[in-house]
Amino acid sequence: MTDEIELPGEVTLLWGLRETVRRGRKPSLTVADITRAAVEVADAEGLAAVSMARVAAQLGNSTMALYRYVKSKDELLLLMSDAALDGPPDLPDGLDWRTGLTLWARGLLKVLGRHPWTVQIPISGPPVGPNNLWWFDRALRALGDTGLDEEDKVGVVMGLLTFVHGELRLSIELSKGYAENPEAFGRQYGKALAQVVDARRFPALSKVIAAGVFEGEVPYDDEVEGEFGLSLFLDGVAAFIERRTARQG
């Protein structure tokens, strides 16, 4: 039996366990209402536009009314980051771990891609919200038949989560840069590097430039780049599983 503790404030907030001080008539707001309005503002105007005052205006309420439910903008961002996650993909029984994690990663990229502002929210701790934990649990289940111990499963999932967030941020920013100046991603880039890169200082990079890797005019494709990176990551996980299970044998 585990010892009960006083739940941290962010946990009580995200799981709807926080008591709200009520005075007078029945409140016209809920935490869910506030969160939904904040997400709407971020989707339409960007994360920088989100403030307690702006969300209050979206709801047609006073700013002070929001503080009865959400104590600060940091709490609001915490709620938004969990609300942005729809449910994870179903992983049928018997699915191999690699296919499962591939579906999971693609699904997470798709869901977060609908709310690109999520990558701008600082991550200050492990997942605690119900939606975040739902995704966490689904990825752990995908590793169920690998032979890994529970700690290793967590390490693999956290590593994949790091990859997904990094990939999403890069794809958003690079896609925007490519749309503004596609020439900067092709031959122009290669020629510029060839003029400034010294082979004695950058020997490995010089070989890449000399091989003409940056001379092509292939359009930037965030999906292709993401799939390549995901495949490399999962290759590493496969080698890790093999090494771990070999020790157990």
Side-chain angles (χ1 to χ4, degrees):
M1 182 176 178
T2 57
D3 295 331
E4 290 190 359
I5 62 169
E6 183 178 351
L7 292 174
E10 62 268 23
V11 175
T12 60
L13 175 67
L14 287 165
W15 285 85
L17 302 175
R18 178 182 293 179
E19 293 185 5
T20 303
V21 177
R22 297 183 178 181
R23 298 186 181 91
R25 61 183 182 179
K26 183 179 178 180
S28 58
L29 283 178
T30 65
V31 171
D33 292 333
I34 295 169
T35 305
R36 185 163 45 250
V39 169
E40 290 172 357
V41 172
D43 284 345
E45 304 172 28
L47 190 64
V50 175
S51 66
M52 299 296 274
R54 177 65 185 86
V55 174
Q58 183 80 0
L59 290 164
N61 274 269
S62 69
T63 304
M64 291 307 298
L66 269 62
Y67 283 104
R68 294 174 58 188
Y69 305 88
V70 181
K71 296 178 181 179
S72 65
K73 182 178 177 180
D74 286 343
E75 285 197 347
L76 183 60
L77 293 178
L78 191 64
L79 288 163
M80 291 169 64
S81 66
D82 197 65
L85 289 172
D86 295 328
D90 291 327
L91 303 181
D93 293 336
L95 200 65
D96 67 277
W97 70 265
R98 184 169 186 135
T99 302
L101 288 187
T102 298
L103 292 173
W104 184 90
R106 288 174 179 168
L108 186 55
L109 281 167
K110 183 177 181 180
V111 167
L112 293 179
R114 298 190 194 117
H115 309 287
W117 45 264
T118 55
V119 299
Q120 299 174 317
I121 297 180
I123 300 175
S124 57
V128 293
N131 288 340
N132 273 277
L133 290 180
W134 193 6
W135 280 85
F136 193 28
D137 177 79
R138 191 59 55 85
L140 290 170
R141 286 174 56 191
L143 294 166
D145 296 329
T146 58
L148 293 176
D149 63 31
E150 303 309 313
E151 185 175 358
D152 283 340
K153 291 175 188 175
V154 170
V156 169
V157 175
M158 294 306 292
L160 182 54
L161 187 61
T162 300
F163 166 79
V164 168
H165 276 268
E167 176 60 32
L168 179 63
R169 181 162 191 163
L170 280 174
S171 67
I172 292 171
E173 294 178 356
L174 289 176
S175 294
K176 181 180 179 181
Y178 181 80
E180 294 174 350
N181 184 13
E183 293 183 359
F185 284 67
R187 189 168 299 151
Q188 182 185 86
Y189 177 66
K191 289 182 177 180
L193 289 187
Q195 292 183 47
V196 299
V197 170
D198 183 347
R200 290 170 298 182
R201 185 179 180 185
F202 305 103
L205 179 57
S206 294
K207 289 181 181 179
V208 172
I209 296 171
V213 173
F214 302 128
E215 291 297 316
E217 295 295 344
V218 180
Y220 172 73
D221 189 324
D222 60 323
E223 289 190 12
V224 171
E225 297 291 336
E227 287 292 323
F228 179 68
L230 177 59
S231 180
L232 288 180
F233 179 87
L234 295 178
D235 285 346
V237 173
F240 177 72
I241 292 173
E242 183 178 0
R243 189 165 64 247
R244 280 292 206 226
T245 53
R247 290 181 187 176
Q248 297 170 6

